[in-house]
Amino acid sequence: MGKRVSLAGWVHANRALGAVSFVVVRDRCGIAQVVLSESLALVPETVVEVEGDAIASAQAPGGVELHDPSFHVLAEPAEPPPIEMRRPVPKETLPTMLDLAPVALRHPQRRARFEIAAASLHGFRATLDELGFTEISTPKIVASATETGANLFSVDYFGRRAFLAQSPQLYKQMLVGVFERVYETGPVFRAEPHDTARHLAEYTSLDAELAFVRDHFDVMAIVREVIAGMVRAVRERAAPAVELLELELPEVPSEIPAVHFADTGVEDVDLAPADERRLCEERGALLFVTGYPMAKRPFYTHPEPDRPHYSNSFDLLFRGLEIATGGQRLHRYGDYVAALGDKTDPYDAYLQAFRYGMPPHGGFALGLERWVARLIGAHNVRETTLFPRDLNRLTP
Ligand code: AMO
């Protein structure tokens, strides 16, 4: 006889066989089959509480059955769910899954993706905590662009024009002057004018910035530690999700290979998506591309000392997609004044940091949705966003 256990969750599937019915109950840990000696009609997604004898059963979904149960319905759905939860992989298209997100996300195969995201976030934080970084939270309503003026969302801020932060770039740099090593995880906003598989209007940026670097290679060494820590955390904290999604987690080499932009064979000032795919096929699943032309980098970027047309910056490609960007920053006040020209006004407060002494520093930002998309082999970043925001989507 099994141990008496109690379980609360949702009716995942329900099957009557003569006088016996099998009810599969799903909770946050997985699924368990409940065997009833009566025929009980339960609508999928009914919320139930069950007490029964736990019996190991190889054939049962989840490997456990509850026998001789007492069953309480806690909440009845107003109507059956629009998605068949019992299918191992939902058959609905991505737009339908996104429209139905509050219920679609309950599907184990969907939920697993966000368990991977949560474990990744944990790995990011844990790695940087260990390396002496301080976690910060900076404003998302801001007065100036940080990346390019093109994709800024404007906000009416008590009658003044303000913007949604494109990145915590300026604040993380200012705070390097305070803490030396900082990181932040949070939403950032880009009014992306195109509907692409890699762009969201709001995404989760995992940012770090550190002082006393020699150049961008010191930053890349930290990126390597962070990626290794994120993979480790996914393996340890999201093992059931890794198994369910049959993921092959990447091996993170002790040094991630790097190629200079000048050696990529690309004539333009930036890589096209096809270049990113080709370079990863040729050189490795994880690959740094360094030295992007200054023409494509933001004003705070440090040039390459001997070839100032190139920059001390990098992108990290993972399985054919850019997932992170970073580099060494300008740190001398005079260099910022020269870089901004007559546009210093909105940056007055930021420039205080440089006027009063800033060490050589650099940092990076990694897009969480893109990272998880590449881990699970999803083509579209909307697949790994709980409630995506894009050109067409403001709800759910
Ligand atoms: P960048 O603009 O390259 O750099 O952004 C950094 C990373 O964020 C992700 N990302 C996006 N993800 C989804 N939708 C988008 N629209 C989107 N745009 C960017 C990508 C990208 O690699 N301040 C610099 C970082 C730094 O130098 O520290 C910045 O924001 O994964």
Side-chain angles (χ1 to χ4, degrees):
M1 171 128 156
K3 199 170 144 226
R4 201 80 184 152
V5 297
S6 59
L7 179 70
W10 288 257
V11 172
H12 188 66
N14 188 7
R15 187 162 54 103
L17 266 184
V20 183
S21 47
F22 298 93
V23 181
V24 179
V25 177
R26 183 187 76 244
D27 71 359
R28 68 193 156 84
C29 301
I31 56 178
Q33 180 158 277
V34 181
V35 185
L36 285 150
S37 54
E38 56 181 319
S39 169
L40 196 65
L42 286 167
V43 177
E45 298 307 293
T46 298
V47 184
V48 295
E49 199 173 42
V50 196
E51 208 185 272
D53 300 329
I55 312 278
S57 159
Q59 312 90 288
V64 182
E65 275 182 355
L66 294 195
H67 286 225
D68 196 16
S70 67
F71 227 96
H72 298 286
V73 171
L74 296 178
E76 274 176 57
E79 53 183 276
I83 287 165
E84 279 187 282
M85 290 292 171
R86 61 194 173 79
R87 278 178 187 276
V89 178
K91 67 170 182 4
E92 284 75 12
T93 62
L94 177 60
T96 304
M97 291 298 276
L98 296 179
D99 289 343
L100 300 174
V103 55
L105 288 167
R106 294 181 189 176
H107 192 286
Q109 198 253 2
R110 288 285 149 157
R111 191 180 61 187
R113 299 168 174 194
F114 300 97
E115 283 161 359
I116 303 280
S120 299
L121 258 174
H122 177 89
F124 181 84
R125 288 203 172 95
T127 306
L128 293 173
D129 286 341
E130 191 64 26
L131 291 169
F133 284 68
T134 300
E135 183 166 8
I136 54 171
S137 302
T138 66
K140 302 302 159 219
I141 303 176
V142 298
S144 55
T146 57
E147 308 306 322
T148 112
N151 56 7
L152 270 176
F153 279 114
S154 311
V155 178
D156 175 353
Y157 189 69
F158 304 118
R160 284 158 65 191
R161 194 158 126 95
F163 306 101
L164 296 181
Q166 291 171 303
S167 77
Q169 182 65 35
L170 309 189
Y171 288 100
K172 67 177 178 170
Q173 286 187 266
M174 291 186 255
L175 291 172
V176 154
V178 178
F179 300 104
E180 293 182 31
R181 297 181 157 211
V182 294
Y183 73 86
E184 174 162 15
T185 70
V188 295
F189 305 89
R190 308 271 173 110
E192 299 291 354
H194 309 293
D195 216 344
T196 79
R198 54 166 67 191
H199 290 104
L200 298 159
E202 174 174 356
Y203 69 90
T204 309
S205 186
L206 312 190
D207 272 84
E209 196 76 15
L210 67 149
F212 303 108
V213 301
R214 268 165 309 174
D215 57 26
H216 51 308
F217 283 90
D218 285 346
V219 180
M220 288 152 62
I222 300 288
V223 174
R224 189 268 159 204
E225 291 312 305
V226 164
I227 296 288
M230 288 169 70
V231 171
R232 202 177 317 122
V234 168
R235 188 175 287 123
E236 288 169 4
R237 298 174 68 92
V242 169
E243 192 182 333
L244 182 74
L245 298 174
E246 297 175 12
L247 299 192
E248 202 173 305
L249 297 177
E251 287 297 323
V252 184
S254 57
E255 200 173 317
I256 294 175
V259 55
H260 192 283
F261 191 89
D263 303 321
T264 56
V266 174
E267 302 283 325
D268 204 355
V269 289
D270 205 354
L271 300 186
D275 298 318
E276 295 179 355
R277 289 192 290 271
R278 170 179 60 82
L279 286 167
C280 280
E281 268 163 34
E282 289 171 2
R283 295 172 184 262
L286 282 161
L287 176 70
F288 283 118
V289 178
T290 63
Y292 282 79
M294 284 294 280
K296 272 308 273 189
R297 295 312 237 203
F299 69 90
Y300 51 78
T301 307
H302 197 294
E304 190 174 306
D306 297 333
R307 290 186 291 180
H309 156 71
Y310 292 115
S311 64
N312 272 4
S313 74
F314 61 85
D315 276 2
L316 177 65
L317 311 185
F318 176 37
R319 297 179 176 163
L321 177 70
E322 172 205 323
I323 60 158
T325 296
Q328 183 185 358
R329 325 299 188 184
L330 300 176
H331 65 279
R332 292 183 191 87
Y333 179 67
D335 290 343
Y336 276 97
V337 173
L340 288 165
D342 57 5
K343 297 192 208 69
T344 53
D345 258 15
Y347 300 99
D348 276 351
Y350 167 64
L351 290 178
Q352 284 181 40
F354 303 95
R355 194 179 292 129
Y356 302 116
M358 273 289 278
H361 64 284
F364 67 92
L366 185 149
L368 180 64
E369 296 80 1
R370 286 197 189 179
W371 158 254
V372 180
R374 290 293 73 209
L375 269 186
I376 71 164
H379 166 68
N380 194 319
V381 283
R382 289 163 188 75
E383 298 268 5
T384 51
T385 309
L386 288 166
F387 301 105
R389 291 290 172 265
D390 62 24
L391 262 185
N392 307 307
R393 206 167 268 285
L394 188 56
T395 61

